[in-house]
Every structure is written in structure tokens, then in C-alpha cells.
Amino acid sequence: MTVALRFDPVRLPDHVQDLRAEVRAFVRDQAEQGVYDPATFEHSSDSMDRFAKAVAAKGWIGMAWPRQYGGQERSFLERYVVNEEFLVARAPTRRYFVADRQSGPTLIRYASERIKQEVLPRIIAGEAMFCIGMSEPNSGSDLFAAQAKATKVDGGWRLNGAKIWTTGAQHADYMIGLFRTSKPTEENRRHGLTSFLVDMHADGITVNPIEMINGVEEFNEVQFDNVFLPDDYVIGEIDAAWKQATSELAFERSGPERFLETFGAMRAFLTAVEGTEDARLQEGLGRLIAQMHTMRRMSVSVAGMLEAGQEPVTEASIVKDLGTVWDQALPTRLRELISLMDYDRYDVRAYRDRMDFYTRMAPKLTIQGGTTEILRGIVARGLGLR
């Protein structure tokens, strides 16, 4: 059996590397101005707002979008470098990140022209935060089992039900949510799901934050009680949103955020052991850096496919699965290396708080963006194994 699965060796061109230097100077300037603190564990709303405005002024939100909607028509590789540098610098990108990465491109492709003209400029300006409403309390990542309903009424739709593990919903202005508009058929379990643009300030929406073990309220449960949406808030084709959703997830699952969320722990560890000649520490860190480099090459390859107009759903799922499993395990692997450290020589105490934070944060990584079990099912299907 021949399987169409590939990760072409994409190299970042020189002009993209020049952009990297510009981005590094920008984040240093933002930190020096006090817009954000790279050492903080959780950024404030004010930091996120100010940073989003500064990034918008640089033209780095929606930079790969069409010019007619405020974009710069720059490459996915340029966007990749901007986001990679922001992640490494722990910049407060949450205000616009989801909208830039996937919600905006989804609206450009499927939304009505009125919605595009109304919402896309707000994203470009750093003024509209998005969340994604897919998982549900009784079905988790099994989107085919979604029960939250959208019922047709005069002039629009009424939403009822709940979504869960919805990142950033308590701050979001909009959600792109998947709702059941009719029952699935025996021939097609994917039938009956429709994508909607949801105004998160509408009457009938209740957001219940879920506190994680590191004290951060990042996930949420969102309840919908007879929420009204106008007809043109339907995104794409009624009852046939599954293909749209999988296309959207190709953007969500392949970026550097899938293996750099706990990078702060490695960075702190590298600072703590700078200049070490201990062969055991060098060997352990060398392995981790080589593994990270491999995942980065795969992620850049997917960015190249997106640049070419392809939809690498299977490849993106592989990047997400490998990346989050590795990212989740990184704090534990670093703890194993700590046992080799000379406590009299290295400032382990200064490193420990950061290590504790990332250890408590890591469990969420294999939930968000699709669980490992769901991802492996997608990969198996892509390989023709199911």
C-alpha cells in the first residue's frame, strides 16, 4: 500500500531570517517598555491588550491573509517565524492568537461578506479575541457525538447545550462553535453538524472557568441557554461542517506552539547549567534539543504545505501528537537531569519555581487541540489503516 504522507525538507529563506532579527528586537523593546514581563507565569489582560495593539501596528496579525481583508499577503513561513519568536520570548499573544491562526482564515473562506467586513478588521487591529467551541461535557473530543443544538427560528438560530475545555472563553469576543443542526445518518455519521460564529456577549451565554492545578484558569465550560444568532452567523454549509472543522484543525495542530509550551522550563535549566562540562548533563540536553529540532523541522514542513495551498490534516495531526507528548514529558525529563546537578555549583532554587509551574501545566497539553487518542485515529485513517 502506498501512503501519501510526506514531510518535505523546507528551509527558511534569508528574508525570513531577517524578519526573525526584527521580531527579536521588537519583543526586547516591548519587555523593556514594561508592556510585559517575560518572567511572569501568567500575563495580565492589560499586557495582552497592549501587546496585541503593538503587534497590529507592525502588521503581524493576519499577515498571511488577503489584502482585501486587511492582510499583508505574506508567507506562512514568515508567520511561522514571528510566532516562534513570540513563543520563545513568552510574549502575551493570547488576545489575538487563535483568531490569527485559524478563526480568521475560516471566516475568510466560509463566512458571509457582511461578517468578513465586520469582524476581520477587528482581528487585524488586535481588538477581537476568539475561542473554539468543539468538545462537550458528555462527548469530549468525539465531535461526531456532539449534542449542543442549533434550532432554526425566524431570522436565525437558537443555541442550547454546552461546550467544555474551551480555552480563553472567559475573555473571548467570539467563538467559532460546532453545533448539531440535524441527526447523523446511518451512511454518514459526520452529517448534521454546522459551524457558527457566536457573539460571546450575547444573552444566554454563561462561562464557567476551570482552574488547573497550576492555579491558572485557562479552560472553561460554556453554557448556551436559548442564545439567538442571525442567519448570516452560519459559517459555511448547513449540516456539512465536518470538512470545514478538519481543515481548520490543520492550522491549529501544526504550529510551534505544539512543542514550545513548556520550553520555558528548558530555558531556565539551560541558564542554570550554563557552561557545564558535565558530560551527563550535556548528553541529556543534547538528546532533548535534537528531538525538539526534529519536531521543528516537521512543523516548518507543514507550514510550507499550507503556504502551497494544501491541507495537510494527517501531517498536522502527527506534529500535534508527537509535539504535545514530548512537550508534556519535558519537565519530567528535566527533573531527571536535575538529579545529576551539583547543588553547590548551580542555583537550583532559582530554577525550581519555574519547574514546578511547568510540571503542573503539562497535563493539559494532550487535551487541548484534540486528545492523543483522537489524533492517532486521524493519523490511522490518513494512512489507510481504518
Side-chain angles (χ1 to χ4, degrees), residues 43-354:
H43 298 298
S44 68
S45 293
D46 180 65
S47 290
M48 290 189 288
D49 288 340
R50 293 174 64 190
F51 190 81
K53 290 292 187 182
V55 176
K58 296 289 289 186
W60 290 342
I61 302 178
M63 58 191 300
W65 298 2
R67 292 187 186 278
Q68 71 182 101
Y69 298 119
Q72 303 289 318
E73 295 186 0
R74 301 180 72 166
S75 73
F76 277 92
L77 297 178
E78 289 174 297
R79 181 189 176 279
Y80 186 98
V81 164
V82 171
N83 288 326
E84 184 176 52
E85 290 299 321
F86 285 170
L87 285 163
V88 171
R90 284 196 51 76
T93 61
R94 187 179 298 175
R95 183 69 71 215
Y96 66 86
F97 185 77
V98 170
D100 175 59
R101 178 183 66 185
Q102 67 196 93
S103 301
T106 297
L107 294 179
I108 289 171
R109 187 167 182 177
Y110 297 109
S112 68
E113 194 61 31
R114 187 186 78 81
I115 292 297
K116 292 177 186 178
Q117 296 297 335
E118 177 182 312
V119 178
L120 294 176
R122 294 189 61 205
I123 297 175
I124 293 287
E127 297 173 352
M129 181 173 174
F130 272 67
C131 62
I132 305 300
M134 291 191 175
S135 296
E136 296 187 6
N138 295 319
S139 58
S141 292
D142 182 6
L143 300 185
F144 299 150
Q147 295 299 312
K149 293 182 179 180
T151 304
K152 189 69 181 77
V153 296
D154 289 342
W157 300 79
R158 291 285 182 185
L159 307 183
N160 287 280
K163 297 292 179 179
I164 202 167
W165 312 124
T166 310
T167 303
Q170 73 271 49
H171 304 298
D173 300 292
Y174 296 99
M175 169 193 286
I176 290 187
L178 203 63
F179 290 83
R180 184 157 296 286
T181 45
S182 63
K183 294 180 180 180
T185 64
E186 291 185 9
E187 298 78 18
N188 185 4
R189 190 171 175 238
R190 299 178 177 90
H191 176 79
L193 296 172
T194 302
S195 186
F196 290 85
L197 175 67
V198 181
D199 182 349
M200 292 296 289
H201 305 294
D203 292 337
I205 294 178
T206 302
V207 179
N208 301 312
I210 301 171
E211 184 175 335
M212 299 188 297
I213 58 175
N214 63 358
V216 176
E217 293 180 343
E218 186 173 349
F219 292 141
N220 300 270
E221 179 188 52
V222 184
Q223 297 178 337
F224 303 90
D225 182 11
N226 218 29
V227 177
F228 177 77
L229 295 179
D231 277 323
D232 60 357
Y233 275 53
V234 173
I235 307 299
E237 185 179 350
I238 295 172
D239 289 341
W242 179 246
K243 189 178 187 306
Q244 296 169 214
T246 54
S247 174
E248 180 182 344
L249 292 173
F251 292 95
E252 179 183 2
R253 289 172 169 166
S254 61
E257 66 273 15
R258 294 311 178 194
F259 54 89
L260 288 177
E261 284 214 48
T262 60
F263 178 76
M266 180 181 281
R267 192 168 200 174
F269 189 85
L270 289 169
T271 300
V273 300
E274 184 176 3
T276 182
E277 297 179 358
D278 190 314
R280 299 170 302 173
L281 291 177
Q282 292 175 337
E283 188 270 345
L285 286 169
R287 285 180 181 274
L288 293 174
I289 291 170
Q291 292 162 1
M292 183 173 65
H293 179 74
T294 300
M295 285 179 291
R296 181 177 181 272
R297 297 307 311 159
M298 295 171 71
S299 181
V300 170
S301 180
V302 173
M305 292 183 231
L306 293 172
E307 173 73 13
Q310 302 173 33
E311 292 185 1
V313 174
T314 303
E315 289 85 353
S317 296
I318 291 172
V319 170
K320 201 279 180 184
D321 183 23
L322 292 177
T324 52
V325 169
W326 182 87
D327 211 13
Q328 189 177 70
L330 180 60
T332 299
R333 292 175 179 174
L334 291 172
R335 283 187 181 278
E336 293 169 356
L337 291 179
I338 289 175
S339 65
L340 304 176
M341 294 171 64
D342 183 348
Y343 282 38
D344 293 329
R345 178 178 179 184
Y346 302 114
D347 188 1
V348 179
R349 183 173 53 188
Y351 166 71
R352 185 170 290 145
D353 286 347
R354 195 153 297 273

